[in-house]
Amino acid sequence: MPYQCKVSAVEFVEPPADLSSGTAVVRVKLEDGKQSVFTVATMDTPGRWLKEAKSPFRLGRPVLFVRSLQQQAVANAVNWMAADMGGFWLRYYNSEKRPAKGLS
């Protein structure tokens, strides 16, 4: 039987300033007691990153892209992420092994 990844909580590390655009760091707690901390960003953020960067490429930790930074939108995206590939990406982002830093 494949591994089932179940989310018990999704929390903002710091509340986002603008719910319609930008980035935020979230902590996702799983039912098995593990947690992941990673960045979520709205779809307009990569364009801003490219304008601000001297290089056209942005390498770094993976980001979960969301429709908005509203709690429900982020929770829905995280739940889809947990369902995909048995929660592979949530385990991959596991904060115990790789502490995440927010992207600005």
Side-chain angles (χ1 to χ4, degrees), residues 35-39 61-65 81 87-100:
Q35 66 178 359
S36 294
V37 177
F38 53 90
T39 300
R61 296 184 190 271
V63 175
L64 175 61
F65 290 97
M81 190 173 162
F88 171 81
W89 294 111
L90 285 176
R91 291 190 313 277
Y92 179 77
Y93 289 6
N94 191 315
S95 65
E96 296 168 301
K97 295 177 185 164
R98 301 176 345 136

Side-chain angles (χ1 to χ4, degrees), residues 1 5 8 11 15 30 43 56 66 72 76 85 94 96 98:
M1 179 177 243
C5 185
S8 63
E11 309 165 342
L30 304 177
M43 301 303 253
V66 294
Q72 190 60 49
N76 287 344
M85 295 173 49
N94 191 315
E96 296 168 301
R98 301 176 345 136

Side-chain angles (χ1 to χ4, degrees), residues 17-86:
D18 181 357
L19 296 178
S20 63
S21 178
T23 64
V25 177
V26 294
R27 177 177 296 111
V28 177
K29 296 181 180 180
L30 304 177
E31 285 185 351
D32 64 5
K34 294 180 181 175
Q35 66 178 359
S36 294
V37 177
F38 53 90
T39 300
V40 294
T42 56
M43 301 303 253
D44 62 331
T45 303
R48 189 172 47 251
W49 287 338
L50 289 172
K51 287 178 186 174
E52 295 170 358
K54 294 180 181 176
S55 167
F57 300 103
R58 181 168 179 90
L59 300 176
R61 296 184 190 271
V63 175
L64 175 61
F65 290 97
V66 294
R67 191 175 304 259
S68 77
L69 296 175
Q70 293 178 358
Q71 178 69 34
Q72 190 60 49
V74 173
N76 287 344
V78 167
N79 283 316
W80 277 102
M81 190 173 162
D84 186 45
M85 295 173 49

